[in-house]
Amino acid sequence: MEFDVLIVGAGPAGLSTAIRLMQQAKAAAKELTVCVVEKGSEVGAHILSGAVFEPRALNELLPNWQEQGAPVTTAVTHDDIYLFKNADDATKLPGFAVPKTMHNSGNYIVSIANLCRWLAQQAEQLGVEIFPGFAASEVLIDDNVVKGIVIGDMGLDKDRQPKDSFVPGMELHAKYTVFAEGCRGHLGKQLIAHFELDKDKSPQHYALGFKEIWDIPSEQHQPGLVMHSAGWPLTNDTSGGGYLYHAESQQVVVGLIVDLNYSNPHLSPFEEFQRYKQHPVVKQYLKEGKRVSYGARAITKGGLNSLPKMSFNGGLLVGCDAGTLNFAKIKGNHTAMKSGMLAAETLFNTLSQDDNGGKDLTAFADAIEQSWLYDELYRSRNFGPALHKFGTFWGGAFNTLEQNWFGGKFPFTLKDNSLDHAQLKLANEAPVINYPKPDNIVSFDRLSSVYLSNTNHEEEQPCHLKLADSSIPISINLPKYNEPAQRYCPAGVYEIVQDENNAPKFQINAQNCIHCKTCDIKDPAQNITWVTPEGAGGPNYPNM
C-alpha cells in the first residue's frame, strides 16, 4: 500500500502529526494520503501516562477542543509537594522551595489514553486512515533511504511456522515515514543506530513509571488535587519520585517513577511502588478504596542533551521516540504533540513542492530550534543530570535555584554521559533489600497487578523478547548481579526456576509482558531486545 505519509504509533505525537498534516491539506485544497498504524488492539490500548496535562499544544492544534468535547475536564486546583523522610514522616514543601516547573496552575488531570481516542476521532474526520492492531515489525531501507515499514506476519507458531490462522505481513510504502512509537521505540532504536542519529550526544536516560487507578469514597476525593513527592522509599542514590492525582469520577491515580540508572541489583521498582503506597500521606486516600487498573511504562528522560538528530533520509522521529519529554515538569505529552505538529508542517512544506520523498528533512531541526519546545528543553537541560550527579536533596536544591531564580539559564550545561544499564554494582557489594509481603489492601503482587492491565498475547506465537546469547542470564547475570531481570520487570516476565537437574534456568513468561521496555533498557549485558509481538497483543488499558 502506498501513502504520502505513514505514521507509526497512534500516541499524542503521531496523532498530532496526522491532524496537522490534514489541516494544512484541507486549507490548501491539496490531496494527501496519511496513514497511522497502531500495534494496540485499539487507539489508547497501549497508552499510559500520569497524567497532568499542559494544554499548550492542544490549544494550537485544535483551539476549540473544549467545544468539541475533548476529555480534558478536571482542572488542577492545588499542588502539594512533599519530601518523604521515611516510612512514616513527611514534610510539605513551601512553594518557593520547589522548582516552578513543578507547579501546575492551568493544567488538567487527564487520561491520555482517552485523549488519544478523541484525537483519533478528529484525525479520521479529517480523512486520516488509522489501522489499530497492526504492528510495524521492520523498517524498509533501500539505498540508505527509508521507504516505509513491514507489518509483521500473524498466525505463526513458536517455531515461526504458519498456523491455520496465518496471515502474511504486508509492506506499507510512503514518501515519508514518521516514527512515533513512544519511549524506546523498537524501530526508532534501529534507526538511531543505523543513521548514527545520536552521534556526539549524551546517552539517552530512562525511568520506569508505575500507575494505578483507584475508586475511592467521595469523602476522600478532592478533584483537581495534585500531589508529588521525593525521598522515601527511594534512597539518595536512586532518583525518582511519587505522585497521586485526584481525577474525575471519584478516582485517584497513584504512581512511582524510578530512574533506571539505579545501582543496587537487589532493588525491585515494583516492590518500591508497593512500599510507596504504604506511606500515610498516600495511604489515607487508598485504604478504603478499590484498585481498578495497573500499568507500567518506561519514560525517556534524557532531555535536550540526549535528543538525537530527528530527521533522516525518508523519515522523522517525533515525541518520546526521540526523547522530547520535559522531565523538569514530569510532562511529555504537550511536547510530543508539538514535535508532531512541527513535523507535519515540515512535511507539508516539502510535499507541496511535488516532492517524491526520501529526503533528509533537515528543516525539521530548524523548526524545532525556533519553537517553544526547544526553549522548554533548553531551560530544563540540567534537571536530570543534577539529580544524577548530586542526589535527590542537593540535586533538587540545584534545580530549584536554577529554575526559580535563573529561569533555567545557568551559563553552563551539566551532562550525564553514563549508561543506565552500566550502573549496577555487583550483587555481593550491594545491600540486600527485604521487601514486605503484600497486604492485599494497598500493596499487591505482580500477577494480580498484571491481571488488571488486561494483558494478552496470542498463544503459540514467536517470543518477542529476544536473547542475543541465551547463556548470559545464568552464566553471567546470575552470579554477578543475581539476575536483576527477575526484579526490574514490573510484570513477572523473567524468572529463575530449577530445571529437571535442579540447575537454575532462565524462564521468559512472554504472555505477561506489558510492553514497558525496561528489559531492553536495563539488562546489564544488553542481551535482551524487545521486538513487536503480533498486532493487538499486550495490555489493553481502558483509561490510563
Side-chain angles (χ1 to χ4, degrees):
M1 299 178 68
E2 301 275 351
F3 301 94
D4 291 315
V5 178
L6 176 62
I7 300 167
V8 181
L15 292 170
S16 296
T17 305
I19 289 170
R20 189 74 190 104
L21 272 168
M22 298 306 283
Q23 286 174 335
Q24 294 173 100
K26 185 176 180 180
K30 179 178 174 62
E31 290 289 327
L32 201 64
T33 55
V34 177
C35 173
V36 180
V37 294
E38 164 58 41
K39 64 183 174 65
S41 60
E42 62 168 346
V43 173
H46 289 178
I47 299 294
L48 183 149
S49 182
V52 173
F53 178 67
E54 183 175 316
R56 185 173 187 177
L58 183 60
N59 290 337
E60 296 177 7
L61 182 65
L62 295 163
N64 298 323
W65 55 267
Q66 288 176 306
E67 293 86 348
Q68 292 173 276
V72 181
T73 56
T74 305
V76 174
T77 59
H78 191 66
D79 278 298
D80 283 345
I81 313 291
Y82 289 88
L83 176 63
F84 285 5
K85 299 177 181 179
N86 53 45
D88 300 304
D89 194 13
T91 297
K92 185 185 290 188
L93 301 177
F96 70 84
V98 177
K100 65 181 181 180
T101 53
M102 299 290 290
H103 295 289
N104 287 290
S105 177
N107 296 335
Y108 294 80
I109 300 169
V110 304
S111 160
I112 291 297
N114 288 339
L115 179 59
C116 284
R117 291 180 175 98
W118 180 82
L119 288 171
Q121 294 172 2
Q122 312 312 305
E124 288 179 323
Q125 290 172 11
L126 289 166
V128 177
E129 295 183 66
I130 301 178
F131 298 152
F134 290 90
S137 64
E138 297 176 41
V139 182
L140 292 172
I141 300 178
D142 182 22
D143 197 23
N144 219 35
V145 176
V146 171
K147 299 291 188 181
I149 60 166
V150 176
I151 300 295
D153 294 337
M154 299 182 73
L156 294 176
D157 66 18
K158 289 183 178 181
D159 297 320
R160 305 198 66 83
Q161 296 302 307
K163 298 184 292 189
D164 292 341
S165 59
F166 176 71
V167 177
M170 69 184 308
E171 294 186 1
L172 303 183
H173 296 178
K175 294 178 179 177
Y176 292 100
T177 306
V178 179
F179 294 84
E181 304 163 283
C183 174
R184 194 73 166 193
H186 164 54
L187 301 182
K189 175 184 170 184
Q190 295 177 27
L191 290 162
I192 290 170
H194 179 85
F195 290 104
E196 298 183 324
L197 302 178
D198 57 353
K199 186 178 181 181
D200 301 325
K201 302 288 185 177
S202 291
Q204 189 58 263
H205 295 284
Y206 301 91
L208 175 58
F210 293 87
K211 179 180 180 179
E212 290 179 350
I213 301 176
W214 287 66
D215 291 332
I216 65 170
S218 58
E219 60 269 21
Q220 294 171 212
H221 190 230
Q222 302 177 47
L225 174 62
V226 166
M227 188 201 85
H228 287 108
S229 70
W232 187 91
L234 303 179
T235 57
N236 196 46
D237 62 349
T238 304
S239 51
Y243 65 92
L244 188 144
Y245 307 149
H246 288 251
E248 60 189 1
S249 304
Q250 287 183 216
Q251 289 189 325
V252 294
V253 297
V254 59
L256 182 71
I257 296 170
V258 181
D259 287 359
L260 287 177
N261 69 332
Y262 67 82
S263 61
N264 188 339
H266 304 297
L267 185 141
S268 165
F270 176 86
E271 301 291 353
E272 297 291 340
F273 176 40
Q274 303 312 307
R275 288 207 295 171
Y276 174 76
K277 290 181 290 178
Q278 297 286 359
H279 197 284
V281 173
V282 179
K283 190 174 182 177
Q284 63 178 320
Y285 297 111
L286 306 180
K287 60 184 179 181
E288 302 298 332
K290 178 184 178 183
R291 187 177 69 145
V292 296
S293 192
Y294 164 85
R297 185 71 169 92
I299 301 167
T300 314
K301 56 174 289 288
L304 187 69
N305 298 338
S306 304
L307 200 66
K309 182 174 181 284
M310 295 167 66
S311 67
F312 44 88
N313 297 332
L316 301 172
L317 286 175
V318 296
C320 289
D321 222 350
T324 58
L325 180 139
N326 180 351
F327 200 64
K329 290 185 174 182
I330 325 177
K331 293 178 183 65
N333 293 301
H334 69 297
T335 51
M337 292 177 69
K338 183 62 175 178
S339 72
M341 294 159 63
L342 293 169
E345 290 161 8
T346 303
L347 287 162
F348 189 77
N349 288 340
T350 301
L351 291 168
S352 295
Q353 303 166 11
D354 294 324
D355 182 68
N356 292 320
K359 296 177 182 175
D360 183 351
L361 301 181
T362 55
F364 184 39
D366 297 332
I368 293 282
E369 288 189 20
Q370 294 165 15
S371 72
W372 58 256
L373 167 57
Y374 184 89
D375 182 62
E376 262 203 33
L377 296 184
Y378 178 80
R379 290 172 184 266
S380 302
R381 71 198 183 284
N382 289 329
F383 194 91
L387 292 174
H388 290 181
K389 288 177 178 292
F390 308 139
T392 299
F393 182 81
W394 291 111
F398 174 95
N399 286 323
T400 299
L401 179 65
E402 181 178 31
Q403 296 301 322
N404 294 6
W405 276 269
F406 291 87
K409 291 192 175 182
F410 271 161
F412 56 83
T413 297
L414 298 177
K415 292 189 176 182
D416 180 1
N417 290 327
S418 63
L419 297 166
D420 287 352
H421 70 266
Q423 301 310 303
L424 288 179
K425 298 176 181 177
L426 296 177
N428 60 9
E429 297 175 354
V432 175
I433 305 173
N434 295 311
Y435 291 106
K437 291 183 178 180
D439 61 16
N440 295 316
I441 299 172
V442 298
S443 59
F444 303 90
D445 63 19
R446 278 178 172 80
L447 294 184
S448 66
S449 300
V450 172
Y451 176 79
L452 292 179
S453 70
N454 302 307
T455 294
N456 186 59
H457 294 86
E458 180 67 27
E459 296 285 357
E460 295 299 314
Q461 65 173 290
C463 180
H464 66 280
L465 301 160
K466 305 294 186 181
L467 300 181
D469 184 339
S470 61
S471 71
I472 283 177
I474 301 302
S475 65
I476 296 177
N477 285 355
L478 186 60
K480 291 182 70 174
Y481 307 109
N482 192 20
E483 183 44 89
Q486 58 188 324
R487 289 176 295 282
Y488 61 58
C489 174
V493 169
Y494 302 102
E495 291 184 287
I496 301 295
V497 299
Q498 301 298 311
D499 66 14
E500 60 274 10
N501 299 316
N502 290 321
K505 174 185 175 183
F506 190 62
Q507 179 169 294
I508 301 177
N509 306 310
Q511 176 75 5
N512 289 2
C513 180
I514 57 175
H515 299 195
C516 74
K517 311 290 185 69
T518 304
C519 57
D520 198 288
I521 297 164
K522 189 59 177 173
D523 179 64
Q526 291 295 277
N527 187 48
I528 303 174
T529 298
W530 189 98
V531 302
T532 51
E534 285 189 8
N540 284 279
Y541 295 133
N543 59 337
M544 294 289 259

